[in-house]
């Protein structure tokens, strides 16, 4: 006897019931250790989730994959680590803690404990840690709700000592190779966070659409172009270079004006009589009606080398540079198209170039040897030496410059301009560019080390080249992933690894001597202890974070002076990139195996599989993993990556609270149900963005989940009435339903063939990391099971049949399928598969089982093809009936159809199914084929009676349903007199205890 299935089964309650069971009864623990003695390893490496907020439904997509494959490999008997990770350190946490505390700036943080900077920083760092613990707890609970089984007690945290010290080891190796250097660059900078935003961190989604005032600036030429050519003197009007910029605050930093040598440039006289140079193609665009005449047109290269005056030449900071670099100060230069392509769509074709205040400007300046004028400090205030502008904020007061430009006649036109402008990815403040001293890992420098033997081929290779070689050894899914990664690897700059003015992060182990300039990198806690000359006692017992780590001082190797650690913290991607080295430990605890038992570590390295959302990760996690593993071992950190797209609202827009299309995870889980949610993710094409919402969830529920459930319910409803025998065995921990000695009919054989194929197909697909392929095939199977197998088998159950052997064949077939189907569904939809499996088998849990070993001999390709043909004939038959206007419940003597299917290819045994489905006595296909061979003759009268009887029974069954009766609950019926001859048949089929005959139909209990 199986537990009956309620008509109004509550799926959400069911999910909570199993969650309690799994954790209270230790099922998850048993699952984690089920294959501890296996010698097959499946190494999954988790990309850490940022423990800074509750998780969203977009996280649930990746986390479904992160649970699906471990569950699958657990069924296959592989040993695994099941380790989840949390990303902990970095600006994102600081920003949230600042918000919570209502802090506005660095000064506030450093005064958290009034007047005590050290205690303030200690407290702030501690609050950051606490925030991480708080949200990692919430995310853990949410992940459990998702049905995600992992070693939740031993998740890794990137803030752990082990992780931080392993990054030190990496940085030390970089140092030994000669790749770590300090550089001065113009970097994107957040004036609120007061820190550089590295190139990796600026994603397209961090641009916001804003309106700024843009300006057309007049730069007066010192030498007039027309005079250069004609050698005439001073008898022509002034000429100006007309230059456009959307960032007027950078004008004081102007060094050069850049043009494209191959473009045409024209000198245009406007109505005021002034003459402007600009790209010929843009004259109309910029000057419009103001054009009086075009004086002349030349190739860009003829303007190269011209000198001009700037609006701020009188300011000390500017004139100082003018004096130091007279030959290339305020000069017209030619661009390098690869660095700074010049547009003919907007602007003037003459580009304001401020080497200190722009990435491209900086690169071009570096190439051409142009000097820079630093203009702003960490908070974007103008520096000393900029006259009336000094100490005023460049970004907050854009009018500061514009008013000056207007008042002094340097502006041709100022207008509002809408554009996409980069913002800080955490606090959304608009970025500026400023000159900063930062630490980098060099990508294009061969190593200082001369490796021997088999590694010697690396000697001539730069880190970039080594990384490219490593990236190519990884299997990327989808395949375009490799190209995307290579594009990044080929074009990225040196890795900016430092962050200034921050507190919560990796303490970069760089010790720079203020006295002689020498710097060294410390590679481990042990090394620091050994080299410490001061402060170790005060540091010991603390994590390697600010402020305690900074108490430790060492001695300069060169000059012997006492040296401090640099103030900076590390780029947060260092934290996540090192995890293949730092987090693989014995039982997910303690010291990294990489450090203490390399041989054991190698069993898990490289990881077999990682999976993350593609956008962003090419520049972030994938990049950091590859960079760090290349330096550590010159090995790929993972063998295969499955990337997936972005989750959008079902309206196709990004999810946004204010747009009403965002779904909070807990709410989504309890409204949609986690099984359905997981199925949505599993069936999604990962290389495409996913539309997610309640309507989409309803579709999936209707089109798959409820169909599956109804098949199961049908089985349970009738099996409990018919009580057939089952042959369920457990051998060596593996379960098996035996189908020996059963009188299987053609439908049973067909569905078994379909099922055997399915199990193999799903196994193969999952081994190829194709969840979608597997899910869609399961959907096809469940549809076949419901709409063909069960539909054709309704007549075989309970009161509809007296054939005991046939019943046994039916029930055993469907039992075999449901038991094994629950197992193969368990990685996808862990809750309903548990519900089904436990009721069917009374075993401990579906999640402690093994992948089914199915009887391959059931696979019958011919039978499947013939059944497919039969179904097409049935389709044609139904179409024919429709065209004749005769409902299916009306039996017909003969149906004649035309079809492309060759009926002779369908075996004899299948034809009765076709007849019964079409409710006909005879069928003639394509004129010459008929079944049965000898025509069955029935009179019109008999057919009519049969149809009416069928209709009557249908009506009684409908009433039973309306009254909410169980299948075996007897009724009393009164039926019209003319059905008297069918008394016994009616009684049996509608489960009536009493039948009387009268005028019309009455059904009662
Ligand atoms: Zn910021
Ligand atoms: Zn020194």
């Amino acid at each position: 006897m199986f537990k009956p299935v309620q008509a109004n089964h509550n799926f959400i309650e069911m999910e909570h019931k199993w969650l309690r069971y799994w954790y209270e009864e230790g099922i998850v623990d048993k699952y984690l250790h089920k294959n501890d003695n296996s010698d097959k390893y499946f190494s999954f490496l988790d990309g850490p989730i940022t423990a800074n907020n509750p998780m969203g439904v977009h996280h649930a997509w990746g986390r479904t994959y992160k649970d699906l494959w471990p569950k699958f490999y657990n069924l296959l008997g592989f040993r695994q680590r099941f380790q989840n990770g949390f990303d902990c350190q970095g600006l994102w946490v600081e920003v949230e803690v600042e918000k919570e505390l209502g802090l506005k700036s660095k000064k506030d943080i450093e005064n958290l404990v009034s007047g005590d900077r050290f205690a303030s920083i200690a407290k702030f760092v501690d609050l950051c840690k606490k925030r991480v613990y708080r949200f990692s707890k919430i995310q853990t609970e949410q992940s459990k709700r998702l049905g995600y089984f992992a070693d939740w007690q031993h998740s890794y945290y990137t803030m752990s000592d082990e992780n931080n010290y392993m990054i030190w080891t990496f940085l030390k190796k970089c140092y030994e190779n000669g790749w770590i250097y300090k550089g001065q660059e113009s970097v994107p900078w957040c004036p609120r966070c007061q820190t550089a935003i590295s190139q990796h961190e600026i994603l397209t989604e961090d641009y916001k659409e804003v309106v700024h005032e843009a300006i057309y600036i007049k730069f007066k030429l010192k030498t007039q172009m027309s005079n250069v050519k004609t050698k005439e003197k001073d008898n022509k009007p002034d000429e100006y270079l007309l230059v456009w910029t959307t960032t007027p605050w950078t004008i004081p930093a102007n060094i050069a004006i850049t043009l494209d040598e191959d473009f045409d440039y024209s000198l245009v006289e406007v109505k005021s009589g002034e003459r402007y140079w600009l790209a010929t193609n843009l004259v109309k665009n910029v000057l419009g009606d103001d054009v009086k005449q075009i004086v002349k047109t030349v190739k860009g290269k003829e303007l190269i080398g011209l000198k001009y005056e700037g609006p701020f030449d009188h300011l000390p900071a500017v004139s100082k540079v003018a004096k130091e670099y007279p030959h290339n100060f305020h000069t017209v230069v030619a661009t390098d198209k690869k660095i700074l392509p010049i547009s003919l769509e907007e602007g003037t074709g003459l580009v304001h170039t401020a080497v200190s205040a722009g990435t491209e400007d900086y690169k071009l300046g570096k190439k051409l040897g142009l000097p820079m004028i630093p203009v702003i400090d960490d908070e974007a205030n103008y520096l000393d030496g900029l006259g009336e502008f000094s100490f005023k904020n460049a970004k907050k007061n854009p009018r500061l410059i514009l008013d000056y430009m207007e008042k002094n006649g340097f502006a041709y036109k100022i207008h509002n301009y809408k554009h996409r402008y980069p913002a800080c990815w955490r606090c959304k403040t608009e970025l500026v560019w400023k000159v900063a001293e930062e630490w980098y890992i060099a990508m294009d420098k061969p190593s200082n080390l001369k490796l021997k033997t088999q590694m010697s081929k690396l000697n001539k290779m730069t880190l970039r080249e080594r990384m490219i070689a490593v990236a190519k050894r990884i299997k990327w899914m989808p395949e375009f992933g490799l190209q995307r990664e290579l594009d990044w690897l080929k074009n990225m700059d040196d890795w900016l690894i430092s962050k200034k003015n921050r507190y919560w992060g990796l303490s970069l182990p760089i010790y720079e001597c203020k006295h002689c300039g020498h710097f060294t990198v410390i590679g481990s806690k042990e090394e620091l202890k050994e080299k410490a000359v001061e402060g170790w006692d005060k540091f010991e017992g603390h994590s390697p974070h600010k402020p305690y780590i900074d108490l430790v001082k060492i001695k300069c190797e060169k000059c012997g002076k006492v040296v401090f650690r640099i103030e900076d913290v590390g780029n947060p991607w260092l934290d996540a990139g090192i995890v293949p080295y730092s987090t693989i430990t014995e039982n997910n605890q303690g010291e990294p195996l990489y450090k203490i038992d390399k041989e054991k570590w190698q069993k898990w390295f490289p990881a077999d599989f990682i999976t993350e959302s593609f956008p962003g990760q090419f520049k972030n996690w994938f990049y950091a993993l590859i960079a760090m593993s290349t330096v550590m071992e010159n090995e790929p950190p993972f063998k295969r990556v499955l990337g997936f797209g972005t989750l959008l609202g079902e309206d196709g827009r990004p999810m946004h609270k204010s747009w009403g299309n965002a779904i909070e995870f807990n709410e989504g889980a309890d409204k949609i149900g986690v099984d359905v949610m997981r199925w949505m993710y599993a069936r999604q094409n990962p290389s495409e963005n996913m539309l997610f919402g309640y309507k989409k969830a309803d579709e999936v529920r209707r089109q798959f989940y409820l169909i599956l459930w109804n098949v199961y319910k049908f089985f349970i409803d009738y099996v409990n009435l018919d009580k057939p025998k089952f042959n369920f065995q457990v051998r060596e921990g593996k379960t098996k339903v035996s189908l020996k000695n059963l009188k299987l009919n053609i439908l049973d054989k067909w569905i078994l063939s379909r099922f055997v194929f399915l199990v193999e197909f799903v196994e193969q697909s999952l081994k190829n990391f194709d969840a979608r392929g597997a899910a869609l095939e399961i959907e096809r199977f469940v549809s076949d099971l419901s709409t063909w197998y069960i539909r054709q088998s309704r007549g075989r159950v309970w009161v509809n049949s007296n054939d005991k052997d046939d019943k046994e064949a039916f029930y055993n077939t469907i039992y075999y399928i449901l038991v094994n189907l629950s197992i193969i569904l368990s990685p996808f939809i862990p809750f309903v598969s548990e519900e089904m499996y436990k009721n069917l088998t009374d075993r401990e849990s579906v999640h402690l089982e093994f992948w089914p070993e199915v009887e391959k001999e059931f696979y019958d390709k011919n039978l499947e093809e013939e059944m497919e043909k039969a179904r097409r004939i049935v389709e044609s038959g139904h179409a024919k009936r429709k065209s004749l206007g005769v409902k299916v419940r009306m039996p017909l003597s003969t149906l004649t159809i035309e079809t492309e299917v060759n009926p002779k290819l369908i075996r004899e045994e299948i034809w009765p199914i076709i007849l019964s489905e079409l409710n006909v006595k005879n069928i003639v296909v394509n004129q010459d084929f008929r079944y049965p061979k000898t025509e069955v003759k029935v009179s019109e009268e008999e057919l009519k009676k049969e149809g009416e009887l069928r209709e009557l029974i249908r009506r009684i069954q409908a009433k039973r349903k309306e009254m909410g009766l169980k299948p075996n609950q007897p009724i009393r019926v009164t039926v019209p007199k003319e059905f008297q001859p069918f008394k016994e048949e009616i009684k049996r089929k509608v489960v009536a205890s009493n039948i009387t005959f009268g005028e019309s139909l009455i059904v009662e209990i």
Side-chain angles (χ1 to χ4, degrees), residues 648-761:
L648 304 171
E650 56 193 354
D651 56 1
R653 298 192 300 171
M655 282 196 174
H656 224 284
K657 265 191 197 136
S658 58
W659 293 342
N661 63 353
I663 297 177
E664 197 268 317
F665 175 77
N666 289 354
E667 185 194 310
D670 279 354
K671 263 193 183 169
I672 293 170
V674 160
D675 274 337
V676 171
M677 207 187 242
R678 289 175 63 120
W679 193 259
M680 292 167 79
Y681 299 130
R683 74 190 302 287
Q684 166 71 24
N685 181 349
S687 58
E688 285 170 9
N689 290 340
M690 177 172 183
L691 302 185
F692 188 92
Y694 292 119
K695 276 189 214 119
K696 295 269 168 199
D698 283 341
E699 277 168 35
V700 169
R701 186 180 300 108
R702 257 197 337 267
Q703 287 167 9
F704 167 66
Y705 194 72
L706 290 180
I707 295 175
L708 170 72
W709 182 255
N710 287 332
V711 169
Y712 165 70
K713 184 174 185 303
F714 178 86
F715 171 78
I716 296 292
D717 284 351
Y718 288 101
V719 80
N720 281 339
L721 298 169
D722 275 326
K723 302 187 178 62
K725 274 196 231 105
F726 291 115
N727 193 351
F728 179 77
Q729 311 152 348
V730 183
R731 257 190 252 138
E732 291 167 8
K734 295 184 183 177
T735 57
K736 194 163 181 59
V737 179
S738 168
L739 291 174
K740 288 216 174 78
N741 306 320
L742 291 167
K743 214 184 79 189
L744 301 177
N745 77 10
I746 194 75
L747 272 169
D748 301 331
K749 287 177 188 161
W750 170 73
I751 198 71
L752 286 169
S753 172
R754 291 279 293 114
F755 186 66
V756 166
F757 170 80
L758 177 76
V759 174
E760 295 236 321
F761 186 90

Side-chain angles (χ1 to χ4, degrees), residues 303-336:
L303 301 175
I304 304 294
L306 291 181
K307 300 275 181 188
Y308 60 90
E309 291 168 14
F312 302 99
D313 291 354
H314 59 289
L315 300 178
V318 180
S319 59
K320 182 171 162 261
V321 176
K323 272 190 211 105
E324 281 171 27
Y325 301 90
H327 60 290
N328 53 14
F329 181 77
H330 282 185
T331 309
V332 177
V333 297
T335 194
D336 175 331

Side-chain angles (χ1 to χ4, degrees), residues 896-898 924-930:
T896 308
I897 60 161
E898 296 292 324
V924 177
V925 183
N926 296 345
Q927 292 165 356
D928 62 338
F929 179 92
R930 79 161 33 242

